[in-house]
Amino acid sequence: MAEIGMDLNRFILEEERKHPQATGSLSIALTAIETATKIIASHVRQAGLVDILGKTGKVNVQGEEVQKLDELANEIMIEHLSDSGEFFALSSEEMEEPIFPEKGKNGKYIISFDPLDGSSNIDVNVSIGTIFSIHKKVKATVEDFFQEGYKQVAAGYVIYGSSTMLVYSTGNGVNGFTLDPSVGTFLLSHPNMKIPEKGKIYSINEANAKKWIDKGLVDFIESLKEKGYTTRYIGSMVADVHRTLIKGGIFAYPADKKNPNGKLRLLYEASPMAFLINQAGGMATTGKEDILKVKPENIHQRVPVFLGSKTEIQELLTYIS
Ligand code: AHM
Ligand code: MG
């Protein structure tokens, strides 16, 4: 097992060495994500200040126009991922259609990402994050985005919380790295992350309970209350999933009357998180099928999400149809 404190770049290279046939493409791709998210992290850290300075004429200290943080994060991701030359195509929550970077013509991968998830939490100084999902380029058309989640080559997120952490998997377990802000390096802090078999927390927007389509869910949540569970709901998927990964329990965004397919997007929210939870020994389901087996039909498709410890997910499945 890799040593605590190992820096992310060395970790990526050592992982690459385990695969003698590897060309280094994935390592470059992951490093581009690392760089982009470090830059996003530094903007997130200044979010409050930018707002104050911005109000004086929409120009910040560097003389740049003040931009909404989610749009800025999107631009930073696009710039660095395109520039790496490893991505044939990019799709983002912030863009209607995917883009095919000039430099990525020979790229081996495609990537879907949510540049700044939970952005309604920016104004209140609550954790937000970036989520990404990488697949192989197969046909070199937009259809490459319609591959199931179990075919992901890598998936991960960066959480901009009380510290900045990058958590990712290439299908060989899950590892978490904490950014040392003094040197700007991600250091391995959470090697081989495993979700507890069972937790004590449920995480769901219970205000929607009357609108939930599957009434079995109401009974399931009641049963958790009777068993002494507590509730935590941040409203930033990255933060809620990060806690679930570490503490166990269940996180859910079910179908309701307002969002008949749930709210979360398959490609860049549900699927990468399902991949990580699965790699950490947990389960992720739409309630009807394993999230990783859902074949996407369009880029911004939504799915109901239930993910977490095995015990809670298996129990949930006995309540819902
Ligand atoms: P966003 O991508 O527009 O930020 O929306 C996604 C977020 C998730 O992070 C979170 O799990 C969910 O929306 C919360 O939704 P709600 O406020 O309906 O509970
Ligand atoms: Mg989002």
Side-chain angles (χ1 to χ4, degrees), residues 241-270:
V241 171
H242 184 65
R243 185 202 50 249
T244 306
L245 180 58
I246 291 176
K247 303 251 179 181
I250 181 168
F251 163 79
Y253 208 111
D256 59 37
K257 283 185 190 138
K258 185 169 157 223
N259 302 292
N261 296 313
K263 179 183 178 192
L264 300 172
R265 317 290 185 130
L266 176 59
L267 259 60
Y268 40 79
E269 293 175 330

Side-chain angles (χ1 to χ4, degrees), residues 32-301:
I33 295 170
E34 180 199 350
T35 308
T37 54
K38 276 199 253 184
I39 296 170
I40 296 170
S42 86
H43 284 282
V44 169
R45 296 283 170 246
Q46 293 186 0
L49 283 173
V50 167
D51 205 33
I52 292 166
L53 300 169
K55 276 188 183 134
T56 57
K58 293 261 169 204
V59 175
N60 69 12
V61 266
Q62 281 86 31
E64 297 155 336
E65 253 186 53
V66 176
Q67 238 179 335
K68 274 183 69 196
L69 210 48
D70 39 8
E71 286 164 14
L72 181 63
N74 190 46
E75 278 175 23
I76 293 168
M77 289 292 278
I78 290 171
E79 184 189 331
H80 286 267
L81 302 181
S82 301
D83 227 37
S84 75
E86 302 299 344
F87 295 106
F88 176 75
L90 278 58
S91 76
S92 161
E93 167 158 0
E94 293 288 323
M95 304 185 298
E96 202 62 42
E97 301 289 337
I99 57 171
F100 299 85
E102 189 58 33
K103 267 194 167 179
K105 271 193 188 133
N106 299 316
K108 290 207 303 202
Y109 301 105
I110 59 154
I111 183 164
S112 302
F113 56 90
D114 184 348
L116 212 55
D117 182 60
S119 44
S120 66
N121 276 318
I122 298 172
D123 291 347
V124 288
N125 211 345
V126 168
S127 301
I128 46 182
T130 300
I131 315 172
F132 63 91
S133 159
I134 302 177
H135 278 88
K136 282 211 170 97
K137 174 181 80 180
V138 184
K139 297 183 179 164
T141 68
V142 71
E143 273 185 53
D144 284 346
F145 286 107
F146 306 150
Q147 300 179 65
E148 296 87 342
Y150 72 84
K151 293 182 180 159
Q152 284 169 103
V153 175
Y157 61 80
V158 176
I159 177 166
Y160 312 106
S162 43
S163 59
T164 298
M165 270 189 79
L166 185 150
V167 175
Y168 87 105
S169 174
T170 53
N172 189 20
V174 181
N175 289 282
F177 300 79
T178 302
L179 185 65
D180 177 345
S182 61
V183 283
T185 308
F186 279 111
L187 302 175
L188 182 62
S189 51
H190 295 62
N192 197 21
M193 295 171 86
K194 292 285 172 214
I195 183 168
E197 284 280 314
K198 182 179 180 304
K200 294 179 188 146
I201 298 171
Y202 68 88
S203 183
I204 190 167
N205 190 341
E206 224 176 332
N208 296 332
K210 286 215 160 62
K211 290 185 238 140
W212 291 342
I213 289 169
D214 195 323
K215 297 297 171 212
L217 186 54
V218 177
D219 298 335
F220 171 67
I221 296 293
E222 285 310 310
S223 78
L224 295 182
K225 289 179 191 169
E226 272 157 33
K227 286 184 196 140
Y229 278 64
T230 190
T231 182
R232 293 282 184 277
Y233 188 74
I234 296 167
S236 273
M237 187 194 197
V238 176
D240 282 316
V241 171
H242 184 65
R243 185 202 50 249
T244 306
L245 180 58
I246 291 176
K247 303 251 179 181
I250 181 168
F251 163 79
Y253 208 111
D256 59 37
K257 283 185 190 138
K258 185 169 157 223
N259 302 292
N261 296 313
K263 179 183 178 192
L264 300 172
R265 317 290 185 130
L266 176 59
L267 259 60
Y268 40 79
E269 293 175 330
S271 179
M273 292 310 201
F275 188 78
L276 292 168
I277 290 289
N278 193 270
Q279 281 290 317
M283 289 173 73
T285 173
T286 64
K288 297 198 163 41
E289 65 178 318
D290 184 335
I291 290 177
L292 295 176
K293 291 195 182 137
V294 179
K295 180 142 175 56
E297 285 166 3
N298 71 68
I299 285 175
H300 298 290
Q301 164 175 352

Side-chain angles (χ1 to χ4, degrees), residues 12-25 108:
I12 290 172
L13 289 176
E14 298 218 346
E15 286 289 297
E16 184 189 314
R17 277 198 206 118
K18 289 184 192 156
H19 306 275
Q21 74 289 0
T23 58
S25 287
K108 290 207 303 202

